[in-house]
Amino acid sequence: MPDVTLTVDGKKLTAPAGTLLIEACKSAGIEIPSFCYYPNLSLQGACRMCLVKIEKMPKLQTACTTVVTEGMIVTSDNEEVRQARKSMVELLLGNHPLDCPVCDAGGECELQDMTFSYGAAESKYMEAKNHKDEQQWSPVVFFDRPRCILCYRCVRVCGEGMDVWALGVQNRGVSSIIAPNKEDHLECEECGMCIDICPVGALTSGAYRYKTRPWEMKHVGTICTHCGDGCKTTLGVRRSDSGMEIVRGDNRDKSGINNDFLCIKGRYAFDFAHHPDRLMQPLIRKNGKLTPANWEEAFELIGKRFAEIRDHDGMIGVVGSSRITNEEAYLLSKFARVVLKTNNVDHHRTADFPALAAALSGKPDSTATMREVYDAPAILLIGNNPTDQHPLLAWQIRNNVRLHRSRLYLINSQTIKLGRQAAGFTQIPAGTEGKVAAYLAGDDAAVEAIITEKNSRETWNALREKLRGEQKLVIIFGSEIRGNDVAVLVKFGSGVHGAKFVCLADYANSRGAADMGLYPDLLPGYHRVADTGKFHDEWTSIPATTGLTLPEMVDAAKASKLKALYVVGANPIGRLGLDPFLFSKTFVVVQEMFLTETAFMADVVLPAANAYEKSGTFTNTCGDLQILKKAGEVTGTKSDFEMIVRIADAMGFDVHKLVPFGAGERTDMGQSRGAQSGEADRHAVWLEARGLEPKMSPLEPTAILDEIQRLVPGYDFSRINLLAGNDQHTTLANSGPGAIQKPELIVPANDNLFSSGTLGRYSKALHSVMESRTQQTSEVAAD
Amino acid sequence: MKFSDEFETRFTMMARHYPTKRSVLVPALLYAQDEIGYLSDEVIQEIARRLELTELDVRNVISYYSMLTTKPRGKYNVQVCTNIACMLRGGEELFAHCRKKLGIGHKQTTQDGRFTLEEVECIGACSWAPAIQVNYDFHENLTVEKLDKVLDGYQK
């Protein structure tokens, strides 16, 4: 659209036609206060805070509903405007309790800020305030009615943003109240967006309320450790007896790929970190019992046993995690090959990335970022239920349809909630997702399996033609599509102009675990173990034969051939329902936060830090790389990175060969550059931005990140952008050849909105929500 | 939930009058209330279903309008206006008299279920104040004596 020129406070601005005045002012650095206006939600015009003077208009106008026009002359701040805003604040304060000293929002409250700005501390209203006790609407949402200023933000974000429509406004005038959908409680997805978006302390979080004040916390923007979407969550931490306690998760830092969005897990489910069952001391099995030990003893024992077994050609298996950082996954992959001298490496696979890497080889720009899902003109989603398993992806799709009119084509064996946004929903018999891929790719015979009463051959043909005619189509597929079907789907996509792919995996760093080569047949970057090349040159002496998959390791244990098993952040015994006695002849080392089924039968258990307690990087399911920042801390735990290095050291391995640190003989720590005189050490900033800062310790993940950037194709991202907290897209185009593996090795996690593997088992917040639901259902059933 | 044929005819006709589905909500609620006496949970569910709204949406609208009710009323809903014109001409006395005579207060219903009393805002009969409205019938230029007669007329 053409630009229009307008004048605000004597300043000439240009903005595209159709821009709201409040937005035009914001982009020019002129702040117009508002409570009810919120970008990307429908306009309300309820709070009257954004009143401005516009020449030739008789009364003050609301900047949030006025569209800029050519030659408009606006005054955003004069006596009349200030008086009007002051009156608005005075009205709002008419029934506001002024309990700021105990209110959760005190210190970060928009009404408080406005009262300071416009000075409406004195009031002419003498009426008694209308009090109403606080109500609990769900285990995690509380409502304090008198604090509410009726801006309707919560109502709109719940309805328009989340498509849940659980909040409404009842009654009229001064008696108006926000009401939940089930009279006295909420039945919703418990995302807590209403709490985040509330400008005052009317909606408060069950996890955080009355615990501390905003200024007493340190706020750390890091990446959520639950599903594979990679939302940025801001963790509020404060000092506690055992380190740093996480007391709040919210969306204060909106710079992430999730913008405003955060689901229940990112917001409340950080509490597993402080669960009383958390391991805080290494355990060694002595006389059949796990006994507390110290770190030196544990590392010495592991080092000794691992070295013995390796030197006597005993079989060792390594199981990695989908929740450790890229650096840790890479290090573990390298440790297995170089130190343990085995290719027996695996992890819980939830998506077929090796097949995708194989199919996309040589196709640049063929994977979509999470941000692109929000902008794409058309989306094809085959399988999965993002609302439950990928809440951010669902948000991106939903709001893309709402705000940008994207066309969503849905193919699923179930009727899923995103169907409400779909331009077309095609239901297929369960398990025929591969046939859909084949048909779309041009195999007309495949249609027989997907014809149903509702969808005839003609319907399918019409759909295929429509999809072929789309441009910049983002093709998203769940784990239903795996093995050869991935290549078939990619073949279809190649025929659509500008098509890009997203492969859905379930855990926070499932993609990273795959990219970093936690496979028996693949090294980092999907480089096959049998192929020589840079890994063989740098790592030297990689075993040439393909190693064992996890089920094969289990079989080896059954046959008493597996002498040692090293499990980093995984619970294969619990997940696969294995007999723990299977491993009674195996030396088992487990790095875990809790005494899981696998840790319970281990010979040595090392207490691990989780993703909120360390730095590093995660790659989300789309391939967006993001930086983790250490927020919480629990005394007595170590990061998996440190433990791997310490074990290598205890085995007598030269850790310089594992982690490239301390390369030079001397290093300039900045003493010569005037950093102590108080100015920014620009040279150090420059070095860090290029990954050239001195790595002084083998426990420094960025040292491995240097190696990852050098050796893993697709990871040549900008270090300074990463450090700045921006997401960096990695690609699969130049990866190694990948592989077609056994499809049955992929087992989706099937987590829903309120479960999250081992982390979910130890999250009270998630449990409280699930319990409240079962109670309600049983009440209904009893009638 | 079953409505009368008359309601159904009206509903079908109304649905065609508006560009959006939910516009039918208010008249549909009003007709349903006339038929059933109040807006029961069943009515709310049915109308929400027909108009593709959440029950919460329907309840929000009902709570906005004082003429819509989710609680059963008496057979005759006596609405006494006490806004400015009626007040100056004795509306408040009429309301006090009703309370005494019927033995109930604002928004209450007599034991026999015959009368519900309500103090309402302007009913648009200022020229003939003081006025009351019983269901859809207006009674104007009232005095306490005239009011007695009016109420007695509804005893059956």
Side-chain angles (χ1 to χ4, degrees):
Chain A
M1 271 194 269
D3 284 358
V4 297
T5 314
L6 67 156
T7 314
V8 182
D9 299 340
K11 213 167 156 183
K12 276 235 183 296
L13 319 180
T14 21
T19 309
L20 292 169
L21 181 54
I22 195 168
E23 285 293 335
C25 290
K26 195 203 240 168
S27 53
I30 299 165
E31 189 193 348
I32 302 214
S34 73
F35 293 119
C36 71
Y37 173 74
Y38 202 87
N40 294 333
L41 293 181
S42 64
L43 304 178
Q44 195 75 39
C47 75
R48 323 304 291 177
M49 276 306 287
C50 64
L51 291 172
V52 292
K53 174 87 193 133
I54 303 177
E55 264 185 30
K56 294 181 183 160
M57 292 201 187
K59 288 193 280 185
L60 297 182
Q61 301 291 316
T62 47
C64 75
T65 56
T66 309
V67 173
V68 292
T69 52
E70 186 62 43
M72 191 181 245
I73 300 172
V74 182
T75 311
S76 82
D77 196 5
N78 65 13
E79 199 39 47
E80 187 189 4
V81 168
R82 289 189 73 80
Q83 188 51 50
R85 291 182 188 158
K86 184 173 173 178
S87 307
M88 287 307 143
V89 174
E90 197 180 333
L91 268 168
L92 290 175
L93 292 177
N95 199 45
H96 196 80
L98 302 185
D99 55 354
C100 310
V102 295
C103 175
D104 271 358
E108 50 182 19
C109 168
E110 294 178 36
L111 183 60
Q112 220 173 24
D113 293 348
M114 286 305 128
T115 310
F116 271 86
S117 305
Y118 293 97
E122 283 169 29
S123 174
K124 35 186 176 298
Y125 301 111
M126 306 291 285
E127 290 80 1
K129 296 203 180 195
N130 214 341
H131 180 70
K132 175 92 181 159
D133 285 341
E134 212 173 19
Q135 304 162 34
Q136 180 169 16
W137 280 354
S138 90
V140 290
V141 181
F142 285 71
F143 181 59
D144 194 321
R145 190 202 281 183
R147 287 182 192 155
C148 174
I149 60 169
L150 289 166
C151 67
Y152 297 66
R153 277 191 201 172
C154 53
V155 176
R156 284 172 287 153
V157 79
C158 181
E160 298 165 18
M162 292 300 297
D163 193 26
V164 169
W165 308 96
L167 292 169
V169 180
Q170 292 193 337
N171 304 333
R172 174 167 34 126
V174 287
S175 349
S176 299
I177 49 162
I178 302 292
N181 56 356
K182 298 285 157 183
E183 285 185 38
D184 61 343
H185 69 272
L186 276 169
E187 197 179 287
C188 66
E189 295 177 8
E190 310 281 0
C191 68
M193 296 276 297
C194 52
I195 300 169
D196 233 356
I197 210 165
C198 182
V200 294
L203 285 158
T204 55
S205 148
Y208 167 72
R209 54 202 286 282
Y210 301 131
K211 267 196 182 164
T212 184
R213 315 308 313 273
W215 59 86
E216 282 170 346
M217 290 182 286
K218 187 179 164 226
H219 303 278
V220 184
T222 188
I223 307 306
C224 176
T225 180
H226 291 280
C227 83
D229 286 351
C231 291
K232 189 175 274 189
T233 170
T234 310
L235 299 175
V237 294
R238 73 173 174 188
R239 208 161 282 289
S240 74
D241 297 346
S242 59
M244 292 293 270
E245 185 192 359
I246 305 170
V247 283
R248 180 170 82 171
D250 72 4
N251 213 13
R252 190 184 166 109
D253 177 349
K254 297 196 195 306
S255 66
I257 50 179
N258 47 322
N259 288 314
D260 287 309
F261 178 78
L262 211 52
C263 80
I264 174 168
K265 293 184 209 171
R267 194 181 306 279
Y268 308 109
F270 51 76
D271 54 349
F272 62 84
H274 300 282
H275 194 279
D277 291 352
R278 184 83 193 265
L279 298 174
M280 290 159 78
Q281 216 178 345
L283 304 171
I284 296 178
R285 190 168 298 278
K286 290 177 183 161
N287 303 322
K289 267 182 75 178
L290 283 173
T291 319
N294 67 37
W295 283 100
E296 294 313 318
E297 200 184 344
F299 286 134
E300 252 172 55
L301 174 68
I302 299 168
K304 195 173 122 245
R305 297 282 284 126
F306 275 0
E308 273 170 18
I309 294 166
R310 177 197 59 192
D311 296 342
H312 291 91
D313 292 327
M315 191 184 283
I316 306 181
V318 176
V319 181
S321 162
S322 310
R323 276 182 172 137
I324 54 177
T325 63
N326 287 324
E327 291 77 3
E328 289 165 341
Y330 181 94
L331 184 69
L332 184 64
S333 184
K334 185 175 178 182
F335 172 81
R337 269 91 189 197
V338 176
V339 184
L340 297 180
K341 303 207 179 298
T342 178
N343 277 324
N344 302 338
V345 185
D346 208 348
H347 71 288
H348 178 185
R349 310 172 186 191
T350 56
D352 204 340
F353 290 118
L356 184 66
L360 292 182
S361 173
K363 292 191 170 70
D365 301 325
S366 52
T367 47
T369 65
M370 190 55 93
R371 290 185 194 273
E372 281 171 321
V373 176
Y374 177 69
D375 289 329
I379 297 167
L380 167 64
L381 174 63
I382 306 179
N384 203 276
N385 180 7
T387 308
D388 258 4
Q389 298 168 29
H390 292 273
L392 171 61
L393 188 87
W395 166 272
Q396 299 288 79
I397 295 175
R398 197 161 50 230
N399 288 292
N400 189 1
V401 172
R402 178 171 69 95
L403 299 167
H404 311 135
R405 300 179 187 229
S406 173
R407 291 169 298 281
L408 170 65
Y409 302 94
L410 213 55
I411 300 176
N412 206 302
S413 59
Q414 309 285 322
T415 47
I416 61 174
K417 192 181 146 205
L418 276 175
R420 294 199 251 176
Q421 275 73 36
F425 169 61
T426 319
Q427 194 161 5
I428 53 168
T432 57
E433 287 82 1
K435 297 285 178 195
V436 171
Y439 179 71
L440 291 179
D443 175 7
D444 286 334
V447 80
E448 298 302 335
I450 47 178
I451 288 180
T452 57
E453 257 175 55
K454 258 179 112 181
N455 303 307
S456 62
R457 186 183 300 269
E458 288 69 39
T459 329
W460 278 107
N461 191 34
L463 177 64
R464 183 165 70 181
E465 286 312 309
K466 231 186 213 166
L467 286 169
R468 281 176 175 166
E470 289 290 355
Q471 292 196 352
K472 293 186 181 170
L473 178 70
V474 171
I475 301 170
I476 306 171
F477 58 97
S479 61
E480 293 91 340
I481 301 257
R482 50 176 87 166
N484 279 320
D485 296 341
V486 176
V488 173
L489 190 63
V490 168
K491 188 182 154 213
F492 156 71
S494 309
V496 180
H497 185 78
K500 292 185 179 186
F501 295 88
V502 173
C503 170
L504 297 177
D506 295 343
Y507 293 112
N509 204 28
S510 284
R511 173 67 179 269
D515 285 357
M516 296 305 133
L518 291 180
Y519 287 106
D521 52 344
L522 295 170
L523 298 173
Y526 306 96
H527 188 98
R528 285 197 290 237
V529 290
D531 298 346
T532 54
K534 53 193 172 181
F535 287 101
H536 289 75
D537 299 342
E538 291 228 8
W539 289 8
T540 64
S541 70
I542 298 171
T545 49
T546 295
L548 302 183
T549 62
L550 182 51
E552 287 164 352
M553 291 182 215
V554 174
D555 290 340
K558 272 183 199 158
S560 301
K561 281 198 283 193
L562 191 72
K563 297 297 175 212
L565 183 68
Y566 181 32
V567 182
V568 176
N571 181 15
I573 293 192
R575 184 171 63 82
L576 303 172
L578 300 178
D579 174 6
F581 292 104
L582 259 179
F583 295 95
S584 48
K585 295 222 175 72
T586 311
F587 176 69
V588 181
V589 176
V590 177
Q591 294 178 189
E592 240 316 338
M593 272 193 289
F594 302 102
L595 213 54
T596 60
E597 289 86 344
T598 308
F600 190 70
M601 58 108 228
D603 294 280
V604 185
V605 183
L606 301 176
N610 60 56
Y612 292 154
E613 296 161 359
K614 59 194 173 192
S615 55
T617 59
F618 268 178
T619 310
N620 78 355
T621 194
C622 300
D624 303 326
L625 183 91
Q626 300 180 91
I627 194 160
L628 292 180
K629 290 186 179 152
K630 180 172 174 167
E633 185 175 304
V634 172
T635 314
T637 63
K638 288 189 192 299
S639 70
D640 292 304
F641 194 94
E642 174 171 354
M643 292 190 273
I644 299 168
V645 174
R646 295 285 294 270
I647 290 173
D649 182 47
M651 290 174 72
F653 191 83
D654 176 10
V655 292
H656 279 98
K657 287 184 187 155
L658 199 60
V659 184
F661 76 103
E665 289 197 339
R666 280 179 300 128
T667 186
D668 179 0
M669 294 296 286
Q671 297 92 326
S672 61
R673 298 194 303 272
Q676 63 277 62
S677 65
E679 71 186 68
D681 187 347
R682 288 194 207 116
H683 184 59
V685 172
W686 188 89
L687 286 173
E688 207 179 339
R690 282 154 188 79
L692 295 172
E693 79 282 19
K695 275 78 181 187
M696 308 297 284
S697 153
L699 309 179
E700 173 65 74
T702 52
I704 274 288
L705 188 59
D706 292 344
E707 190 174 311
I708 292 174
Q709 287 206 262
R710 198 171 66 240
L711 295 183
V712 180
Y715 275 73
D716 50 349
F717 52 84
S718 149
R719 188 70 81 86
I720 194 161
N721 269 332
L722 179 77
L723 289 171
N726 298 327
D727 45 299
Q728 297 285 294
H729 195 59
T730 63
T731 74
L732 293 172
N734 304 316
S735 287
I740 297 297
Q741 297 161 326
K742 288 183 198 145
E744 66 271 19
L745 292 171
I746 294 167
V747 183
N750 282 331
D751 277 323
N752 62 27
L753 266 179
F754 312 119
S755 70
S756 182
T758 303
L759 304 185
R761 281 164 73 182
Y762 293 92
S763 165
K764 279 189 191 143
L766 294 183
H767 275 285
S768 65
V769 170
M770 284 194 281
E771 276 157 23
S772 79
R773 299 200 158 219
T774 45
Q775 273 165 19
Q776 277 158 26
T777 11
S778 64
E779 270 169 24
V780 171
D783 282 342
Chain B
M1 181 78 221
K2 209 163 154 41
F3 292 110
S4 68
D5 292 346
E6 197 191 353
F7 177 92
E8 295 299 348
T9 324
R10 273 178 164 162
F11 188 88
T12 324
M13 242 173 59
M14 283 189 301
R16 277 187 259 128
H17 285 180
Y18 303 100
T20 49
K21 240 181 177 176
R22 68 172 294 156
S23 306
V24 184
L25 181 58
V26 171
L29 287 171
L30 211 50
Y31 290 133
Q33 175 168 298
D34 286 347
E35 196 169 304
I36 315 281
Y38 71 108
L39 298 167
S40 61
D41 291 350
E42 252 188 320
V43 172
I44 292 171
Q45 277 164 20
E46 173 63 17
I47 291 185
R49 189 188 62 77
R50 289 192 189 191
L51 302 180
E52 291 170 15
L53 295 168
T54 61
E55 281 179 45
L56 180 69
D57 265 330
V58 176
R59 285 181 197 278
N60 292 344
V61 169
I62 295 171
S63 69
Y64 184 90
Y65 292 104
S66 55
M67 282 173 76
L68 298 174
T69 178
T70 52
K71 296 198 181 76
R73 278 178 181 159
K75 187 173 179 193
Y76 301 110
N77 186 26
V78 181
Q79 302 156 68
V80 184
C81 171
T82 55
N83 272 186
I84 184 79
C86 288
M87 183 192 80
L88 291 172
R89 304 263 299 160
E92 292 191 327
E93 286 77 15
L94 292 183
F95 184 60
H97 184 72
C98 284
R99 277 203 314 232
K100 214 171 111 195
K101 189 178 164 85
L102 302 174
I104 50 174
H106 174 59
K107 290 221 172 179
Q108 288 178 346
T109 303
T110 51
Q111 285 277 312
D112 58 2
R114 186 158 298 270
F115 289 107
T116 298
L117 180 61
E118 229 183 299
E119 182 181 8
V120 297
E121 310 297 331
C122 184
I123 52 174
C126 309
S127 310
W128 307 280
I132 68 166
Q133 188 186 346
V134 180
N135 293 351
Y136 285 115
D137 299 329
F138 281 74
H139 302 277
E140 295 136 356
N141 288 317
L142 291 178
T143 59
V144 170
E145 293 75 36
K146 283 189 194 165
L147 175 64
D148 271 336
K149 274 191 204 149
V150 168
L151 292 180
D152 291 343
Y154 287 108
Q155 282 300 342
K156 285 161 271 160

